[in-house]
Amino acid sequence: MSTAARFSLKRQLLLWLLLPQLVLWLMGGVLAFRVALTYAEKAIDQSLTQSVRSLARQVKPFGSGLLVDFPRAAQDIIEQDPKDRVTYMVSSPPGSFLLGNGKLLPGPPAGMVVPQNEPVLYNLVLEGKSMRVASIDLSFGDGMTAQRMRVQVAKSLVVQQGIARELVRDVLFPLLLLGAVLSVLVYAGIRRGLLPLQRLEAQLANRTAASLSPIEMTQAPEEVQSLAMVLNQLLTTLRRSLSQEKRFLNDAAHQLRTPLAGLISQTELAMQETEPAALQQRLTKVHTGAQRSAHLVHQLLSLARTEAEITLQPVDLAALAREVAREWTPRAVAAGVDLGYEGEDALSAPGDKLLLREVLNNLIDNALRYAGRGTTVTLRARAEGAHGVLEVEDNGPGLSAEDMERVFERFWRASELPGGCGLGLAIVAEIAQRHGGNTYAFAVEPQGLRIKLELPLSP
């Protein structure tokens, strides 16, 4: 069994709901830190640009020299934060220390375009510390003694990172609390959402072969109700199958008991006979009883087969009827019956060919058995509206009006002639029902019986 199969549905839901939340929280933290660094960098850049411009205005050209007007108050403003001391420097020419409060600051990196009289910003590492530097180059002096001056202001990026961390902490901590609350709500929601499945499991656990009543899930979600509906269909099919099996066993036990008892009785009497003629008579009765038992078993198995699930496929009813009629012709001739076919050359309808063959076999067998010698039996296949019709008609003695109402009942017989068991027409009716069709019995004038089977031409 795989690892995924061992996980419960609750664990899988928690995993797929909470894991993305954790990933999004971490991604949000990284993104928030980057955004905070960007905004902190913008704030530092604005401060450094303003400071370097202010400092540049304090250094004024005077003749061929410089006048530094940098009062103590301005110096205190620049250095007001003792935790994040600002380093400033004035050099003229660039790189030659003139004024400042720290060591010589490196100039802009090589390859960087440095416009005249406009500040540029860049990063550097000084004494192991990352710093942000604003630098501006100015020209002073007359045309004969033109000189350049560089003003630089630098600030450590430690404060920038600290601000970013504070912003991230202030943003993510409430999000973490909300995530914890959300996790609890998700867990409670999943647990509550799975309660209908637990109730469904409990109801199924209480079902036995003797009690397959439908599952009731009236206040469950739509998905669970759909599952319960499918299970109810399965329980209905299983209940019907068990009922059919029980009915088959009861019918078989009931119907086989009498002929088997007769066989045992006849064999016991035959074993006591000493006269050959009497022994032959007993054996003839045993043979007849065995034939009836075999016929009964065949009919019971046919009845059981009709109650199984069937698959409908296109069947040519006319061709099937002609084929079955040819198969029964030798027996009809032996019984002195004129068996013939009337109807369409071709008639296609959805059905189970094996079961429809069983229908025709039973109808012809009944007609040959009870119509009598010298009669005519006609097998027909024709279309009638939206139905395909199979029917067998004979001009035998027929049935009374009272008997006509019971002709399709199981184990009911209108005649005591040997060989029958009262299941032939019941099997025909059962097969017709499984095909979505109907069976009818009609009296024929002046005498006779017609059994009609209607099958829909489309499923």
Side-chain angles (χ1 to χ4, degrees):
M1 184 182 293
S2 63
T3 303
R6 290 196 300 267
F7 281 167
S8 66
L9 180 58
K10 182 188 294 185
R11 289 183 180 179
Q12 293 191 47
L13 289 174
L14 285 173
L15 178 65
W16 287 106
L17 289 176
L18 297 183
L19 183 60
Q21 176 184 327
L22 176 61
V23 172
L24 290 176
W25 187 84
L26 293 176
M27 292 177 62
V30 174
L31 183 61
F33 183 72
R34 296 298 300 271
V35 171
L37 280 178
T38 301
Y39 280 100
E41 183 176 324
K42 288 182 179 179
I44 290 177
D45 288 350
Q46 291 177 357
S47 175
L48 289 175
T49 301
Q50 183 179 1
S51 298
V52 77
R53 289 184 183 275
S54 298
L55 182 58
R57 285 194 294 268
Q58 305 305 318
V59 182
K60 304 173 183 177
F62 183 75
S64 60
L66 294 172
L67 174 62
V68 179
D69 184 13
F70 193 45
R72 183 65 186 177
Q75 182 179 355
D76 291 341
I77 291 175
I78 293 178
E79 301 177 354
Q80 63 181 344
D81 188 356
K83 296 181 180 179
D84 186 27
R85 186 169 178 268
V86 175
T87 301
Y88 60 92
M89 188 188 76
V90 178
S91 58
S92 180
S96 298
F97 184 84
L98 179 63
L99 172 69
N101 66 347
K103 294 183 178 181
L104 185 66
L105 293 173
M112 185 176 185
V113 178
V114 181
Q116 197 72 14
N117 301 327
E118 289 294 332
V120 293
L121 297 160
Y122 57 93
N123 294 334
L124 58 83
V125 177
L126 186 64
E127 296 180 350
K129 294 182 179 179
S130 297
M131 303 191 74
R132 186 73 168 167
V133 181
S135 175
I136 185 171
D137 287 0
L138 302 171
S139 299
F140 66 94
D142 51 24
M144 300 297 295
T145 60
Q147 299 184 50
R148 292 178 62 213
M149 173 183 65
R150 175 173 292 168
V151 180
Q152 294 172 291
V153 178
K155 194 171 186 179
S156 172
L157 293 178
V158 174
V159 174
Q160 173 200 12
Q161 296 174 353
I163 294 173
R165 284 192 294 270
E166 289 180 4
L167 288 174
V168 171
R169 184 180 65 246
D170 293 341
V171 171
L172 290 187
F173 184 70
L175 289 179
L176 181 61
L177 291 179
L178 290 176
V181 174
L182 179 62
S183 300
V184 173
L185 293 177
V186 166
Y187 178 80
I190 291 176
R191 186 173 181 181
R192 181 178 179 83
L194 293 179
L195 284 178
L197 289 179
Q198 296 177 358
R199 292 199 298 268
L200 179 61
E201 180 185 3
Q203 291 197 40
L204 286 175
N206 294 329
R207 294 298 187 276
T208 62
S211 174
L212 295 175
S213 57
I215 299 171
E216 297 181 1
M217 299 293 290
T218 56
Q219 297 183 350
E222 181 179 351
E223 294 78 6
V224 178
Q225 289 186 3
S226 300
L227 177 60
M229 184 181 302
V230 173
L231 288 174
N232 283 336
Q233 293 175 355
L234 178 61
L235 290 175
T236 300
T237 303
L238 181 59
R239 186 169 59 249
R240 183 171 62 244
S241 177
L242 292 175
S243 175
Q244 292 170 351
E245 180 182 353
K246 182 178 180 180
R247 184 171 60 179
F248 172 77
L249 292 176
N250 290 338
D251 291 344
H254 174 73
Q255 295 299 319
L256 288 174
R257 184 183 298 114
T258 300
L260 289 178
L263 284 175
I264 294 174
S265 175
Q266 292 296 331
T267 53
E268 288 177 347
L269 292 175
M271 293 171 62
Q272 297 173 6
E273 291 291 348
T274 57
E275 295 294 331
L279 179 59
Q280 182 67 29
Q281 184 180 6
R282 296 294 182 189
L283 291 177
T284 301
K285 292 182 179 180
V286 169
H287 179 70
T288 303
Q291 283 184 325
R292 183 174 183 275
S293 298
H295 179 67
L296 176 60
V297 170
H298 172 74
Q299 294 289 69
L300 287 172
L301 292 176
S302 299
L303 188 62
R305 187 165 58 245
T306 64
E307 295 173 344
E309 293 296 328
I310 64 173
T311 301
L312 301 183
Q313 295 179 346
V315 177
D316 189 339
L317 301 181
L320 179 63
R322 290 193 297 268
E323 181 182 342
V324 174
R326 284 194 297 269
E327 293 174 356
W328 280 87
T329 298
R331 181 174 169 183
V333 172
V337 176
D338 181 11
L339 174 63
Y341 170 79
E342 295 178 358
E344 308 286 346
D345 293 331
L347 177 62
S348 180
D352 185 297
K353 188 174 183 179
L354 182 64
L355 293 181
L356 293 177
R357 179 184 292 274
E358 188 70 25
V359 165
L360 296 176
N361 286 334
N362 280 326
L363 291 178
I364 296 176
D365 179 61
N366 266 18
L368 297 183
R369 188 183 302 274
Y370 301 113
R373 300 186 69 85
T375 57
T376 300
V377 175
T378 304
L379 173 61
R380 299 187 182 94
R382 56 188 174 84
E384 190 175 276
H387 293 85
V389 174
L390 291 173
E391 62 183 12
V392 173
E393 179 180 323
D394 67 73
N395 58 354
L399 296 174
S400 65
E402 295 79 7
D403 291 341
M404 199 78 72
E405 296 178 357
R406 304 185 60 188
V407 68
F408 295 111
E409 291 183 10
R410 292 188 178 190
F411 303 111
W412 178 85
R413 298 184 65 199
S415 172
E416 295 301 324
L417 291 175
C421 58
L423 282 176
L425 294 182
I427 293 174
V428 171
E430 184 75 23
I431 293 176
Q433 183 180 2
R434 298 305 303 277
H435 283 74
N438 294 295
T439 50
Y440 306 94
F442 302 97
V444 177
E445 296 296 338
Q447 67 176 24
L449 178 67
R450 176 164 58 96
I451 303 297
K452 177 182 178 182
L453 171 69
E454 282 186 352
L455 299 174
L457 292 178
S458 60

